[in-house]
Amino acid sequence: MSKPTHACYDKIWDDHLVTRPMTAPACSISTRHLVHEVTSRQAFEGLRATGRQGACAGETLAVVDHNIPTTDRSKPNPDPESIEQMRVMAENAKEFGIYRTNNESRQASGHRPRDRTPSRV
Protein backbone atom coordinates (compact mmCIF):
# COMPACT_ATOMS: atom_id res chain seq x y z
CA MET A 1 0.00 0.00 0.00
CA SER A 2 1.37 3.42 -0.93
CA LYS A 3 1.74 6.22 1.58
CA PRO A 4 -1.14 8.73 1.32
CA THR A 5 -0.20 12.07 -0.18
CA HIS A 6 0.14 15.09 2.04
CA ALA A 7 -2.44 17.60 0.76
CA CYS A 8 -1.74 21.32 0.57
CA TYR A 9 -3.92 21.91 3.64
CA ASP A 10 -1.86 19.41 5.65
CA LYS A 11 1.40 21.05 4.58
CA ILE A 12 0.13 24.49 5.56
CA TRP A 13 -1.15 23.14 8.89
CA ASP A 14 2.16 21.45 9.68
CA ASP A 15 4.17 24.55 8.74
CA HIS A 16 2.09 26.74 11.05
CA LEU A 17 1.54 24.39 13.98
CA VAL A 18 2.07 26.26 17.23
CA THR A 19 1.38 23.50 19.73
CA ARG A 20 -0.13 20.04 19.88
CA PRO A 21 -0.97 19.40 23.56
CA MET A 22 -1.97 15.89 24.59
CA THR A 23 -5.16 17.02 26.36
CA ALA A 24 -6.43 19.77 24.04
CA PRO A 25 -6.87 20.47 20.34
CA ALA A 26 -3.81 21.48 18.35
CA CYS A 27 -3.27 25.17 17.65
CA SER A 28 -2.13 26.43 14.26
CA ILE A 29 -1.83 29.97 12.93
CA SER A 30 -1.68 31.28 9.38
CA THR A 31 -1.92 34.75 7.95
CA ARG A 32 -3.03 33.64 4.50
CA HIS A 33 -6.43 32.76 3.16
CA LEU A 34 -6.98 30.80 -0.05
CA VAL A 35 -10.11 31.12 -2.17
CA HIS A 36 -10.73 29.11 -5.30
CA GLU A 37 -12.86 29.53 -8.37
CA VAL A 38 -15.65 27.04 -7.70
CA THR A 39 -17.41 28.12 -4.49
CA SER A 40 -15.91 31.58 -3.95
CA ARG A 41 -18.44 33.01 -6.38
CA GLN A 42 -21.17 32.56 -3.75
CA ALA A 43 -18.95 34.09 -1.05
CA PHE A 44 -18.27 37.18 -3.16
CA GLU A 45 -22.00 37.52 -3.88
CA GLY A 46 -22.65 37.38 -0.13
CA LEU A 47 -20.14 40.18 0.44
CA ARG A 48 -21.78 42.28 -2.25
CA ALA A 49 -25.29 41.64 -0.89
CA THR A 50 -24.28 42.82 2.58
CA GLY A 51 -22.13 45.72 1.39
CA ARG A 52 -18.94 44.30 2.88
CA GLN A 53 -15.44 44.20 1.45
CA GLY A 54 -14.18 41.13 3.26
CA ALA A 55 -11.38 41.02 5.79
CA CYS A 56 -7.67 41.13 5.01
CA ALA A 57 -7.80 41.25 1.21
CA GLY A 58 -4.01 41.63 1.19
CA GLU A 59 -3.66 38.29 2.97
CA THR A 60 -6.00 36.44 0.59
CA LEU A 61 -4.82 34.54 -2.46
CA ALA A 62 -7.24 33.61 -5.24
CA VAL A 63 -6.20 30.34 -6.86
CA VAL A 64 -7.64 28.66 -9.91
CA ASP A 65 -6.98 25.05 -9.11
CA HIS A 66 -10.07 23.08 -10.13
CA ASN A 67 -10.29 24.20 -13.73
CA ILE A 68 -6.73 24.55 -14.91
CA PRO A 69 -5.52 21.88 -17.32
CA THR A 70 -3.34 19.24 -15.73
CA THR A 71 -1.64 18.28 -18.97
CA ASP A 72 -0.86 20.61 -21.88
CA ARG A 73 -1.61 24.17 -20.73
CA SER A 74 -0.77 25.57 -24.15
CA LYS A 75 -4.16 24.29 -25.38
CA PRO A 76 -7.35 26.20 -24.55
CA ASN A 77 -9.61 24.83 -21.83
CA PRO A 78 -12.41 22.99 -23.69
CA ASP A 79 -15.03 23.34 -20.92
CA PRO A 80 -17.21 26.49 -21.13
CA GLU A 81 -18.26 26.18 -17.45
CA SER A 82 -14.60 26.06 -16.39
CA ILE A 83 -13.81 29.10 -18.50
CA GLU A 84 -16.72 30.99 -16.92
CA GLN A 85 -15.63 30.08 -13.38
CA MET A 86 -12.11 31.32 -14.08
CA ARG A 87 -13.43 34.55 -15.64
CA VAL A 88 -15.66 35.27 -12.64
CA MET A 89 -12.80 34.52 -10.22
CA ALA A 90 -10.59 37.03 -12.03
CA GLU A 91 -13.31 39.70 -11.91
CA ASN A 92 -14.05 39.08 -8.23
CA ALA A 93 -10.39 39.13 -7.28
CA LYS A 94 -9.91 42.44 -9.08
CA GLU A 95 -13.04 43.99 -7.56
CA PHE A 96 -12.13 42.97 -4.01
CA GLY A 97 -8.39 43.71 -4.25
CA ILE A 98 -7.27 40.10 -3.91
CA TYR A 99 -4.06 38.83 -5.49
CA ARG A 100 -4.82 36.18 -8.09
CA THR A 101 -2.45 33.60 -9.48
CA ASN A 102 -2.38 33.74 -13.24
CA ASN A 103 -2.17 30.14 -14.40
CA GLU A 104 1.52 30.02 -13.56
CA SER A 105 3.49 27.07 -14.88
CA ARG A 106 4.38 26.00 -11.34
CA GLN A 107 0.76 26.22 -10.17
CA ALA A 108 -0.83 23.00 -9.04
CA SER A 109 -4.02 22.00 -7.34
CA GLY A 110 -4.46 23.31 -3.83
CA HIS A 111 -5.72 19.87 -2.95
CA ARG A 112 -2.98 17.66 -4.35
CA PRO A 113 0.38 18.86 -5.60
CA ARG A 114 1.01 17.84 -9.18
CA ASP A 115 4.29 16.14 -8.30
CA ARG A 116 2.36 13.50 -6.36
CA THR A 117 0.54 10.53 -7.76
CA PRO A 118 -3.25 10.67 -7.40
CA SER A 119 -4.82 8.67 -4.63
CA ARG A 120 -7.07 5.78 -5.49
CA VAL A 121 -10.65 5.85 -4.29
Side-chain angles (χ1 to χ4, degrees):
M1 176 184 272
S2 65
K3 181 180 176 184
T5 59
H6 209 56
C8 184
Y9 174 85
D10 297 318
K11 290 179 181 182
I12 292 169
W13 178 267
D14 291 345
D15 286 348
H16 295 86
L17 189 62
V18 175
T19 183
R20 189 184 302 242
M22 298 295 284
T23 59
C27 179
S28 181
I29 187 168
S30 179
T31 58
R32 299 283 185 248
H33 178 224
L34 299 176
V35 294
H36 65 85
E37 77 281 14
V38 178
T39 58
S40 66
R41 181 179 204 157
Q42 295 86 339
F44 286 117
E45 285 301 322
L47 291 172
R48 276 189 205 92
T50 58
R52 293 183 289 156
Q53 282 296 307
C56 305
E59 302 298 325
T60 303
L61 176 64
V63 295
V64 176
D65 70 341
H66 292 85
N67 291 309
I68 58 170
T70 56
T71 54
D72 187 354
R73 292 189 186 179
S74 67
K75 295 179 182 174
N77 189 322
D79 182 8
E81 185 175 359
S82 291
I83 294 167
E84 176 66 4
Q85 287 178 337
M86 291 186 289
R87 183 192 66 74
V88 170
M89 168 59 89
E91 287 179 1
N92 285 331
K94 183 176 181 181
E95 177 182 345
F96 286 88
I98 295 171
Y99 176 77
R100 176 179 66 93
T101 61
N102 194 21
N103 200 19
E104 299 169 0
S105 61
R106 64 185 178 181
Q107 182 178 350
S109 169
H111 300 284
R112 186 173 308 285
R114 68 179 173 183
D115 60 340
R116 308 269 183 162
T117 56
S119 61
R120 295 179 189 222
V121 179

